[in-house]
Amino acid sequence: MLKKILFPVLALFMLAGCATSSNTLNISPKIALPTQDPTLMGVTISINGADMRQDKALAKVNRDGQLVSLTPSRDMRFLLQESLEKQMTARGYMIGPSGAVDLQIVVNRLYADVQEGNLRYNITTKADISIIATAKNGNKQVKNYNTSYNVQGAFTATDAKITNVINTALGDVISDMAQDTSVSDFIKANSH
């Protein structure tokens, strides 16, 4: 009986030891929502996303002498598009395919620079996100949101540490978007 239990458990531990670490980062930043605007009366907007980065990797790290690319668990343009949709819905806008104003959220830059030394690591994440608002009357506004976040620590920069730095930077950008009313003011001024 003991052999029937012991061998499968031992085999699982051996397999777990052989498993390689994942190169996927689970990105899920905190999404800050703005307060509702009572002056909005059924204004419909459309929202889409774009990722203008040449390299879709979020970080590159040296693992056992090889440069490994770390990629996100989901497409960054869809994650940011979903964040913007939640924020605009919270403000009181309706989201639809043919709105009075088209919003495009663009990932210009999102990358974690990971430096590892003998006993220390340094992770600096820079995020540059734009919201391009285009009204049916031809007016256009571009609003940029930038942030940089840095963490230093002992030993190695694990995937969890890199993920936390990226989530914090993205959370800061999303919070800035929630607090900023300039896009909403543009929509209100150009949705007639």
Side-chain angles (χ1 to χ4, degrees):
M1 178 70 177
L2 187 61
K3 287 182 181 179
K4 286 184 179 180
I5 295 172
L6 189 61
F7 284 126
V9 171
L10 191 60
L12 279 174
F13 281 120
M14 289 171 59
L15 285 174
C18 296
T20 59
S21 64
S22 171
N23 295 335
T24 305
L25 302 179
N26 186 22
I27 304 302
S28 56
K30 183 179 177 200
I31 298 176
L33 298 177
T35 57
Q36 186 169 4
D37 185 343
T39 63
L40 296 174
M41 296 294 184
V43 176
T44 301
I45 59 172
S46 69
I47 298 176
N48 67 52
D51 192 344
M52 304 308 285
R53 298 174 300 152
Q54 295 294 319
D55 187 352
K56 305 304 185 216
L58 291 177
K60 293 188 190 307
V61 293
N62 189 340
R63 292 217 173 113
D64 300 323
Q66 290 188 347
L67 194 61
V68 176
S69 292
L70 302 179
T71 56
S73 54
R74 31 181 322 202
D75 192 323
M76 289 293 92
R77 66 188 167 124
F78 290 127
L79 184 139
L80 286 162
Q81 179 180 333
E82 180 183 292
S83 301
L84 184 58
E85 285 175 359
K86 287 179 179 178
Q87 287 181 341
M88 298 314 265
T89 302
R91 285 190 199 278
Y93 291 101
M94 292 187 289
I95 311 297
S98 57
V101 176
D102 299 325
L103 297 183
Q104 182 177 45
I105 187 160
V106 180
V107 183
N108 299 312
R109 180 178 185 172
L110 180 60
Y111 188 76
D113 182 24
V114 180
Q115 304 289 322
E116 290 183 298
N118 291 339
L119 295 172
R120 303 216 30 92
Y121 68 85
N122 183 30
I123 307 168
T124 303
T125 296
K126 292 189 176 173
D128 177 5
I129 309 296
S130 299
I131 297 178
I132 302 169
T134 308
K136 296 294 184 222
N137 63 13
N139 290 342
K140 189 174 186 176
Q141 173 186 312
V142 177
K143 181 67 182 177
N144 292 318
Y145 301 92
N146 301 297
T147 192
S148 181
Y149 187 72
N150 177 270
V151 169
Q152 298 176 6
F155 304 114
T156 60
T158 64
D159 286 0
K161 291 172 186 171
I162 297 168
T163 300
N164 285 341
V165 174
I166 294 170
N167 278 332
T168 301
L170 271 177
D172 289 349
V173 167
I174 291 169
S175 178
D176 290 348
M177 289 166 36
Q179 294 171 18
D180 182 23
T181 60
S182 64
V183 173
S184 186
D185 294 341
F186 175 85
I187 295 169
K188 284 194 259 184
N190 290 281
S191 61
H192 303 38

